[in-house]
Amino acid sequence: MRGGHPWVFAQSVREQNRPGQTGELAVIFDRKDKFLAVGLFDPDSPIRVRILHAGKPQTIDSSFWERRFAEALRRREVVIDSRTTGYRCLNGESDGWPGLVLDRYGDTRVVKIYTAAWLPRLSELAPLLAGEDRLVLRMSRNIQDFAREEFNASEGDILCGEPLAPSLEFLENGLRFEVDVVRGQKTGFFLDQRENRREVRTLAEGRQVLNLFSYTGGFSVYAAAGGAGSVDSVDISEHALAGARRNFALNAEQPGVARCRHETIQADVFNWLREAPSLRFDLIVLDPPSMARKESERADAIGAYAKLMEATLARLNKDGILVASSCSAHVSSTEFFQLARDAAQKSGRRFVELKTTGHAADHPATFAEAEYLKCIYFRFLE
Ligand code: SAH
C-alpha cells in the first residue's frame, strides 16, 4: 500500500472494528496503529478495500473529489484535440478512482463502475463527472442485481442531462463514429485502441486489409481513410458488423473511405481462418477478446494466441504487415511479445519487427494488474 498498490484483499484484513457497509470509507491502520490509507469498503468483493489515498490522513469530501477529477483531466490535455471528442477521462485505480471509468463521447459521458462501493456515492458525484454533458450509467454484470435491488439503479440510467438520442456520434482523429453507450461492449467503443488505429491509417495505403475481431470497424475505417484498396471486417456479431457498415457510411466524405471496398463477414474467426478460400491480404489487424479471464488460463491463452497468429500469418502476403494486439491482463507484455516473436520465427519467413505499443496517455496503468493492452507490429518481407 505504501508503494502505491490500490487493493486490499479480504484475507489480509487482520481486524475490523465493525462489519462495514458497501461503499463506506474504510480507514486502514498499520500494526502500530498508525494511519496507512483510506479507501472504499466492499464487503461482497475479494478486493475488500480499494484505496483512495495513502500516506498522511486525508479528508474525503467534495473538494477532494474535485481536485482529483481536475488532475485526471489535466493529464488528458496532451492527447486530446478538437479532432478527438471520444476519450477516457478517468481510468480507474490508475487515476485514483478505483473500480470506476469515465469515457466521453461528444456531449455524452459514460460512467462504468466495477464495484458496488460507488453506488451510494453516485448521486453526489454525478454532477462533477458530468460537467456540462449528459451522464449515462453502466455497471459490470456482477453488481447489476444488487444495484437494482438496493439502489434502484439500472444499466443505461441517465444520471444527468437529457435522455439519449437514438444515435450518438463522436470524433476520433477527425473520423466520425457512432456508439451505443447502453448496449455496446465496455462503454460502447474500444477507446483504448485509438493510437493503434491511427498507426494503421498510416500503414494502409494501397493495401488489401483484413480486420479480424473487427467489432464496429474502428480499425477498418482508419485503414480505409488511409487509402486501403479494400477492407474485410470479420466478427461473430452481426450487430457489431452493422455498426461497422454505419461507421463506414458516416465517413463517406473522406476520399479514402469513399474509394475503399468494404466487406463485412459474420463468422467465427477461428473457423473462418481454417475454412475460408485462400484469400490473402497485405495488412492484417488481429485484436481478439481476452483469452485468459483467470490466472489459471494464462498458459492456455498463450498457446491459443500462438495458434491464432500462425493461422493468421497463412493469410498474409509477401511484404505484408501484421498488427497483433492482446488485451489479456493475465498475459504480460513481455510474455505476449515473446510468443508473437516466436510465432513469427516459426513461420520460417523473413520479417522485421516494426514496433511495440502499450497504453495511451488517457488509459494510464500505474500498477501491474492494470496493464492489459499491448500490440506488436511486424512486416513479413517474404
Ligand atoms: N478491434 C476492435 C475491438 C475488438 S473486441 C476495435 O478496435 O474496436 C472483440 C470482438 O471480437 C467483439 O466484437 C466480439 O464480437 C468479437 N468476437 C469474439 N469472439 C469471436 C470469434 N470467435 N470470432 C469472431 N469474432 C469474435
Short mmCIF file of all heavy atoms in Angstrom, two decimals, residues 185 189-190 193 197 211-219 234-237 240 267-270 287-289, ligand 1:
data_model
loop_
_atom_site.label_atom_id
_atom_site.label_comp_id
_atom_site.label_asym_id
_atom_site.label_seq_id
_atom_site.Cartn_x
_atom_site.Cartn_y
_atom_site.Cartn_z
N GLN A 185 -20.19 -2.93 -26.01
CA GLN A 185 -19.21 -3.51 -25.09
C GLN A 185 -18.44 -2.40 -24.35
O GLN A 185 -18.28 -1.31 -24.86
CB GLN A 185 -18.22 -4.38 -25.86
CG GLN A 185 -18.89 -5.61 -26.47
CD GLN A 185 -17.89 -6.65 -26.93
OE1 GLN A 185 -16.86 -6.86 -26.30
NE2 GLN A 185 -18.18 -7.30 -28.02
N PHE A 189 -17.36 1.59 -27.01
CA PHE A 189 -16.33 1.66 -28.04
C PHE A 189 -14.99 1.32 -27.38
O PHE A 189 -14.82 1.56 -26.19
CB PHE A 189 -16.27 3.08 -28.62
CG PHE A 189 -15.67 3.17 -30.00
CD1 PHE A 189 -16.37 2.75 -31.11
CD2 PHE A 189 -14.41 3.72 -30.18
CE1 PHE A 189 -15.82 2.86 -32.39
CE2 PHE A 189 -13.84 3.83 -31.45
CZ PHE A 189 -14.56 3.39 -32.55
N PHE A 190 -14.06 0.77 -28.19
CA PHE A 190 -12.76 0.44 -27.61
C PHE A 190 -11.82 1.63 -27.78
O PHE A 190 -10.94 1.65 -28.63
CB PHE A 190 -12.21 -0.84 -28.25
CG PHE A 190 -12.96 -2.06 -27.82
CD1 PHE A 190 -14.11 -2.46 -28.50
CD2 PHE A 190 -12.58 -2.78 -26.69
CE1 PHE A 190 -14.84 -3.56 -28.08
CE2 PHE A 190 -13.31 -3.89 -26.26
CZ PHE A 190 -14.44 -4.27 -26.97
N GLN A 193 -7.82 1.59 -28.15
CA GLN A 193 -7.04 1.28 -29.36
C GLN A 193 -6.81 2.50 -30.26
O GLN A 193 -6.33 2.37 -31.38
CB GLN A 193 -7.75 0.19 -30.19
CG GLN A 193 -7.70 -1.20 -29.55
CD GLN A 193 -6.34 -1.87 -29.69
OE1 GLN A 193 -5.33 -1.21 -29.91
NE2 GLN A 193 -6.31 -3.18 -29.56
N ARG A 197 -5.06 2.49 -33.94
CA ARG A 197 -5.86 2.76 -35.15
C ARG A 197 -5.20 3.85 -35.99
O ARG A 197 -5.15 3.76 -37.21
CB ARG A 197 -7.28 3.19 -34.75
CG ARG A 197 -8.13 2.04 -34.26
CD ARG A 197 -9.59 2.43 -34.18
NE ARG A 197 -9.90 3.19 -32.99
CZ ARG A 197 -10.40 2.67 -31.87
NH1 ARG A 197 -10.64 1.39 -31.78
NH2 ARG A 197 -10.67 3.44 -30.84
N ASN A 211 -9.43 -7.08 -41.12
CA ASN A 211 -9.59 -6.71 -39.72
C ASN A 211 -10.30 -7.84 -38.99
O ASN A 211 -11.50 -8.03 -39.15
CB ASN A 211 -10.38 -5.39 -39.63
CG ASN A 211 -10.51 -4.89 -38.19
OD1 ASN A 211 -9.91 -5.45 -37.27
ND2 ASN A 211 -11.29 -3.85 -37.99
N LEU A 212 -9.53 -8.62 -38.22
CA LEU A 212 -10.09 -9.78 -37.51
C LEU A 212 -10.58 -9.34 -36.13
O LEU A 212 -9.85 -8.65 -35.40
CB LEU A 212 -9.04 -10.88 -37.38
CG LEU A 212 -8.59 -11.49 -38.71
CD1 LEU A 212 -7.44 -12.48 -38.48
CD2 LEU A 212 -9.75 -12.19 -39.41
N PHE A 213 -11.78 -9.78 -35.74
CA PHE A 213 -12.45 -9.34 -34.50
C PHE A 213 -12.69 -7.82 -34.59
O PHE A 213 -12.26 -7.05 -33.75
CB PHE A 213 -11.61 -9.68 -33.26
CG PHE A 213 -11.21 -11.12 -33.16
CD1 PHE A 213 -9.98 -11.56 -33.64
CD2 PHE A 213 -12.06 -12.06 -32.59
CE1 PHE A 213 -9.60 -12.90 -33.55
CE2 PHE A 213 -11.69 -13.41 -32.50
CZ PHE A 213 -10.45 -13.82 -32.98
N SER A 214 -13.39 -7.44 -35.64
CA SER A 214 -13.46 -6.02 -36.00
C SER A 214 -14.35 -5.18 -35.10
O SER A 214 -14.26 -3.96 -35.10
CB SER A 214 -13.98 -5.89 -37.43
OG SER A 214 -15.33 -6.34 -37.49
N TYR A 215 -15.29 -5.83 -34.37
CA TYR A 215 -16.30 -5.09 -33.62
C TYR A 215 -16.97 -4.08 -34.56
O TYR A 215 -17.38 -4.47 -35.66
CB TYR A 215 -15.66 -4.45 -32.38
CG TYR A 215 -16.67 -3.85 -31.41
CD1 TYR A 215 -17.77 -4.59 -30.95
CD2 TYR A 215 -16.53 -2.55 -30.93
CE1 TYR A 215 -18.69 -4.04 -30.06
CE2 TYR A 215 -17.44 -2.00 -30.03
CZ TYR A 215 -18.53 -2.76 -29.60
OH TYR A 215 -19.43 -2.20 -28.72
N THR A 216 -17.08 -2.80 -34.21
CA THR A 216 -17.81 -1.86 -35.06
C THR A 216 -16.91 -1.18 -36.10
O THR A 216 -17.22 -0.08 -36.58
CB THR A 216 -18.54 -0.81 -34.20
OG1 THR A 216 -17.58 -0.19 -33.32
CG2 THR A 216 -19.63 -1.43 -33.37
N GLY A 217 -15.79 -1.83 -36.42
CA GLY A 217 -14.99 -1.38 -37.56
C GLY A 217 -14.06 -0.22 -37.30
O GLY A 217 -13.69 0.49 -38.24
N GLY A 218 -13.65 -0.02 -36.06
CA GLY A 218 -12.72 1.07 -35.77
C GLY A 218 -11.47 1.02 -36.65
O GLY A 218 -11.19 1.97 -37.41
N PHE A 219 -10.74 -0.09 -36.60
CA PHE A 219 -9.53 -0.21 -37.41
C PHE A 219 -9.87 -0.15 -38.91
O PHE A 219 -9.09 0.36 -39.71
CB PHE A 219 -8.82 -1.54 -37.13
CG PHE A 219 -7.97 -1.54 -35.88
CD1 PHE A 219 -8.40 -2.17 -34.71
CD2 PHE A 219 -6.73 -0.91 -35.87
CE1 PHE A 219 -7.62 -2.18 -33.56
CE2 PHE A 219 -5.93 -0.92 -34.72
CZ PHE A 219 -6.38 -1.55 -33.57
N VAL A 234 -14.11 -8.94 -40.10
CA VAL A 234 -14.69 -10.21 -39.65
C VAL A 234 -15.02 -10.14 -38.16
O VAL A 234 -14.16 -9.79 -37.35
CB VAL A 234 -13.71 -11.40 -39.89
CG1 VAL A 234 -14.40 -12.73 -39.58
CG2 VAL A 234 -13.16 -11.39 -41.31
N ASP A 235 -16.27 -10.48 -37.83
CA ASP A 235 -16.67 -10.54 -36.43
C ASP A 235 -17.80 -11.55 -36.32
O ASP A 235 -18.54 -11.79 -37.27
CB ASP A 235 -17.13 -9.17 -35.92
CG ASP A 235 -17.08 -9.06 -34.40
OD1 ASP A 235 -17.99 -9.60 -33.74
OD2 ASP A 235 -16.13 -8.46 -33.88
N ILE A 236 -17.95 -12.12 -35.13
CA ILE A 236 -19.01 -13.11 -34.92
C ILE A 236 -20.37 -12.44 -34.73
O ILE A 236 -21.40 -13.06 -34.91
CB ILE A 236 -18.65 -14.02 -33.71
CG1 ILE A 236 -19.35 -15.36 -33.79
CG2 ILE A 236 -18.94 -13.31 -32.39
CD1 ILE A 236 -18.70 -16.43 -32.94
N SER A 237 -20.33 -11.15 -34.40
CA SER A 237 -21.57 -10.44 -34.08
C SER A 237 -22.08 -9.63 -35.26
O SER A 237 -21.44 -8.66 -35.69
CB SER A 237 -21.33 -9.53 -32.86
OG SER A 237 -22.24 -8.46 -32.86
N ALA A 240 -22.51 -5.99 -34.34
CA ALA A 240 -21.27 -5.19 -34.41
C ALA A 240 -20.96 -4.83 -35.87
O ALA A 240 -20.58 -3.70 -36.17
CB ALA A 240 -20.11 -5.97 -33.79
N ALA A 267 -18.62 -14.29 -38.99
CA ALA A 267 -18.06 -15.63 -38.84
C ALA A 267 -17.26 -15.71 -37.55
O ALA A 267 -16.82 -14.70 -36.99
CB ALA A 267 -17.14 -15.94 -40.02
N ASP A 268 -17.08 -16.96 -37.10
CA ASP A 268 -16.13 -17.23 -36.02
C ASP A 268 -14.74 -17.18 -36.67
O ASP A 268 -14.46 -17.94 -37.59
CB ASP A 268 -16.43 -18.62 -35.45
CG ASP A 268 -15.46 -19.01 -34.34
OD1 ASP A 268 -14.24 -18.77 -34.49
OD2 ASP A 268 -15.92 -19.55 -33.33
N VAL A 269 -13.90 -16.28 -36.19
CA VAL A 269 -12.59 -16.07 -36.82
C VAL A 269 -11.80 -17.37 -36.90
O VAL A 269 -11.15 -17.66 -37.92
CB VAL A 269 -11.80 -14.97 -36.08
CG1 VAL A 269 -10.32 -15.02 -36.44
CG2 VAL A 269 -12.38 -13.60 -36.37
N PHE A 270 -11.86 -18.15 -35.84
CA PHE A 270 -11.05 -19.38 -35.79
C PHE A 270 -11.47 -20.32 -36.93
O PHE A 270 -10.62 -20.88 -37.61
CB PHE A 270 -11.19 -20.06 -34.42
CG PHE A 270 -10.67 -19.21 -33.29
CD1 PHE A 270 -11.52 -18.30 -32.65
CD2 PHE A 270 -9.35 -19.28 -32.89
CE1 PHE A 270 -11.05 -17.50 -31.61
CE2 PHE A 270 -8.87 -18.47 -31.87
CZ PHE A 270 -9.72 -17.58 -31.22
N ASP A 287 -7.05 -8.49 -33.30
CA ASP A 287 -7.34 -7.93 -31.97
C ASP A 287 -8.43 -8.73 -31.27
O ASP A 287 -9.56 -8.26 -31.11
CB ASP A 287 -7.76 -6.45 -32.14
CG ASP A 287 -8.05 -5.77 -30.80
OD1 ASP A 287 -7.49 -6.21 -29.78
OD2 ASP A 287 -8.85 -4.81 -30.78
N PRO A 288 -8.12 -9.97 -30.86
CA PRO A 288 -9.15 -10.83 -30.27
C PRO A 288 -9.54 -10.38 -28.85
O PRO A 288 -8.79 -9.64 -28.22
CB PRO A 288 -8.46 -12.19 -30.21
CG PRO A 288 -7.01 -11.88 -30.10
CD PRO A 288 -6.81 -10.61 -30.89
N PRO A 289 -10.70 -10.85 -28.38
CA PRO A 289 -11.05 -10.58 -26.97
C PRO A 289 -10.07 -11.29 -26.04
O PRO A 289 -9.33 -12.17 -26.48
CB PRO A 289 -12.46 -11.14 -26.83
CG PRO A 289 -12.64 -12.10 -27.95
CD PRO A 289 -11.72 -11.67 -29.05
N1 SAH B 1 -10.72 -4.34 -32.61
C1 SAH B 1 -11.97 -3.86 -32.07
C2 SAH B 1 -12.29 -4.45 -30.72
C3 SAH B 1 -12.41 -5.96 -30.70
S1 SAH B 1 -13.42 -6.52 -29.41
C4 SAH B 1 -11.93 -2.33 -32.02
O1 SAH B 1 -10.86 -1.71 -32.15
O2 SAH B 1 -12.98 -1.72 -31.83
C5 SAH B 1 -13.59 -8.20 -29.73
C6 SAH B 1 -14.61 -8.54 -30.80
O3 SAH B 1 -14.44 -9.93 -31.08
C7 SAH B 1 -16.07 -8.37 -30.44
O4 SAH B 1 -16.69 -7.56 -31.41
C8 SAH B 1 -16.67 -9.80 -30.50
O5 SAH B 1 -17.97 -9.83 -31.09
C9 SAH B 1 -15.70 -10.50 -31.39
N2 SAH B 1 -15.54 -11.95 -31.21
C10 SAH B 1 -15.40 -12.65 -30.08
N3 SAH B 1 -15.16 -13.94 -30.34
C11 SAH B 1 -15.14 -14.06 -31.69
C12 SAH B 1 -14.90 -15.15 -32.61
N4 SAH B 1 -14.63 -16.37 -32.14
N5 SAH B 1 -14.93 -14.89 -33.92
C13 SAH B 1 -15.19 -13.65 -34.38
N6 SAH B 1 -15.39 -12.60 -33.57
C14 SAH B 1 -15.37 -12.79 -32.25
#
